[in-house]
Amino acid sequence: MDWAAALAKFAKKAISGLSISLIKIDKPNFYIVNGGNVGSIVSKGKPAHKKFPPKSLPVDISLLSKEERLLLQKALKEALDNEQTFLLEDTPGEIDGIRESQAEPDNKELLTILQPFLSSTDFAALRAAVVLRYMRKKGLDVIKLKGDIVHKYGDRGAKMANLCSAGYFDDAAKQLKTFRSSPKFNADEFRKKLDDLISQSAFALFVQNDWPRLRTRNEIITRIRINAGYGIHQVVLHAIGEDNMEKVREITDALIAKYPEINKAHDDTIAGEARIHLVFPSKIAQKLK
Amino acid sequence: MLNNVISFDKASREFVLDSFDKAVDSEGFIVEKSNLKQRVLTPEGEEIRFEDFAGIKKGSLLFFKRDLPSLIKLSDLME
């Protein structure tokens, strides 16, 4: 049995009554539906492909007899044997988006450069983080994607997603490009540096939208204390979202007013994200309350 | 645009799974129709909830979830 011919035969039922001949589509993408979509389109006399991706040919199982359904299932098995992949609606578009994100020149370079210095799990997490960043830049809702990363890669994955969105891995890749040809370059040291960046998120604090003001202030103070304790005299606060940006700016201004030793080196808004770079001396650790 | 893809809508999921001798158990996981106690696993060894089911690919028979890491893997396998 030719699976494509069988599916095309069943598709005829779904698109009967239309003036255009969708059956003549060359190498169509078959779309299995169970009532709803096709019927409503047919009854309104609109082309069936309006609601489907280009070159789609709908097969409506609700229109098939029990015998026809069994024949269709046989054809589907044969289709799988012939390298067809079965994907839930919207999934092809999501996979296209993933591919676009990985093929984007800057992302491709970032992933290629850093892959040898990351474990396979961290590299997989970085790829997912790159997708998330790409989708966020396109203005899409990334809450589910972030949840997927946390579910799969845990707290470390969440940190990597934050660091990636804030451009830290791009900075690391730039640094690597500059220094890897130097005789002093040590691959193991760079690997450790990347690991420290991820595990400690040393210079950064990602202020969350749902942190109340008191928690935000405490998190900033804690990060300054930790960094000062390690001899790191700086922290970069990241905040996404208008309210979040306003909150963090008000809190840092109040801290600076109370502790003049803390200085704001930079305060920028880049692609909808506030980046506030604070610098401070070691002795601040004892004074902060 | 992906090639060699047969799409299906949410309402057709059970029909598609049934085509490949799979069913859904009382807890909502995809299982073998011939053995309802045997849950179907992703290539990474994860059980799949019916609600998370994203697709099937040849390679014996590979089932995928609809989360970002799974879709990245599926994308790689479809290259």
Side-chain angles (χ1 to χ4, degrees):
Chain A
M1 180 172 64
D2 179 342
W3 66 268
L7 262 67
K9 185 181 130 196
F10 294 126
K12 274 185 185 174
K13 281 202 170 192
I15 59 173
S16 62
L18 290 174
S19 57
I20 56 171
S21 179
L22 291 173
I23 294 292
K24 287 182 181 169
I25 294 173
D26 182 39
K27 293 183 182 170
N29 297 311
F30 290 103
Y31 203 120
I32 312 293
V33 297
N34 190 358
N37 291 344
V38 179
S40 64
I41 293 166
V42 171
S43 66
K44 288 175 186 168
K46 290 178 183 171
H49 63 269
K50 274 254 175 183
K51 273 198 172 181
F52 297 94
K55 293 180 70 179
S56 287
L57 203 51
V59 178
D60 186 354
I61 57 175
S62 73
L63 302 175
L64 304 182
S65 68
K66 199 175 174 184
E67 280 182 355
E68 286 174 323
R69 282 177 171 231
L70 289 173
L71 286 172
L72 174 60
Q73 289 189 314
K74 199 175 165 193
L76 295 184
K77 277 185 176 171
E78 195 178 318
L80 188 88
D81 288 340
N82 283 277
E83 308 298 337
Q84 296 294 304
T85 299
F86 290 78
L87 294 179
L88 181 66
E89 57 190 347
D90 300 335
T91 307
E94 289 167 2
I95 291 178
D96 278 337
I98 287 169
R99 289 184 171 181
E100 278 171 29
S101 73
Q102 313 282 293
E104 198 262 327
D106 288 346
N107 290 340
K108 194 173 179 180
E109 187 182 55
L110 171 73
L111 292 168
T112 307
I113 288 176
L114 293 186
Q115 184 174 14
F117 300 95
L118 293 168
S119 69
S120 58
T121 306
D122 278 351
F123 181 65
L126 180 61
R127 287 185 70 191
V130 163
V131 176
L132 184 143
R133 177 172 71 171
Y134 181 80
M135 298 302 174
R136 178 181 279 145
K137 276 183 187 167
K138 285 180 80 173
L140 300 173
D141 184 0
V142 294
I143 290 173
K144 184 188 177 296
L145 300 183
K146 184 79 180 282
D148 288 347
I149 291 173
V150 174
H151 181 74
K152 181 77 178 178
Y153 304 110
D155 185 45
R156 190 173 172 89
K159 282 180 180 173
M160 289 183 72
N162 287 335
L163 290 165
C164 181
S165 290
Y168 281 85
F169 289 110
D170 301 283
D171 293 345
K174 272 182 211 154
Q175 205 179 52
L176 179 60
K177 270 172 78 178
T178 308
F179 293 110
R180 69 180 161 186
S181 55
S182 157
K184 287 182 180 173
F185 176 72
N186 181 318
D188 287 336
E189 271 179 21
F190 185 77
R191 225 169 256 125
K192 179 159 187 325
K193 195 174 166 183
L194 269 184
D195 185 55
D196 286 346
L197 173 69
I198 298 164
S199 57
Q200 299 169 20
S201 297
F203 300 103
L205 176 67
F206 298 92
V207 178
Q208 304 298 310
N209 282 287
D210 59 356
W211 286 357
R213 298 178 70 84
L214 182 61
R215 178 169 178 192
T216 304
R217 186 182 186 278
N218 288 341
E219 294 278 356
I220 294 171
I221 286 174
T222 303
R223 174 53 67 188
I224 291 174
R225 276 206 192 108
I226 291 171
N227 286 12
Y230 281 102
I232 299 166
H233 300 132
Q234 56 181 315
V235 64
V236 182
L237 309 174
H238 297 260
I240 294 173
E242 288 297 327
D243 292 346
N244 203 24
M245 288 195 272
E246 192 182 326
K247 174 181 74 181
V248 76
R249 285 192 168 116
E250 283 177 12
I251 291 169
T252 48
D253 287 347
L255 275 175
I256 290 165
K258 190 169 180 184
Y259 304 101
E261 298 95 326
I262 301 175
N263 286 296
K264 201 184 269 188
H266 296 283
D267 183 344
D268 303 308
T269 301
I270 302 164
E273 182 190 70
R275 293 184 193 178
I276 301 163
H277 186 179
L278 301 179
V279 291
F280 41 83
S282 293
K283 62 180 182 184
I284 194 72
Q286 288 81 43
K287 291 182 75 178
L288 281 172
K289 286 177 188 169
Chain B
M1 189 78 187
L2 297 174
N3 294 318
N4 300 325
V5 167
I6 295 177
S7 304
F8 54 93
D9 67 1
K10 283 192 170 182
S12 306
R13 285 176 293 181
E14 279 193 271
F15 177 82
V16 170
L17 286 169
D18 185 57
S19 303
F20 297 98
D21 305 314
K22 304 294 179 268
V24 180
D25 70 11
S26 57
E27 292 180 58
F29 287 94
I30 299 171
V31 292
E32 296 292 338
K33 212 158 63 175
S34 58
N35 178 2
L36 299 179
K37 287 183 179 172
Q38 191 180 333
R39 289 182 175 166
V40 170
L41 302 177
T42 67
E44 298 192 318
E46 294 174 313
E47 296 172 337
I48 310 169
R49 284 191 177 278
F50 177 66
E51 284 303 317
D52 296 333
F53 169 55
I56 309 170
K57 185 170 182 355
K58 192 185 172 189
S60 64
L61 202 56
L62 303 176
F63 286 74
F64 288 87
K65 287 165 71 172
R66 201 180 174 183
D67 58 59
L68 179 57
S70 300
L71 293 183
I72 291 174
K73 188 168 183 75
L74 178 56
S75 170
D76 290 348
L77 289 170
M78 289 178 74
E79 291 280 5

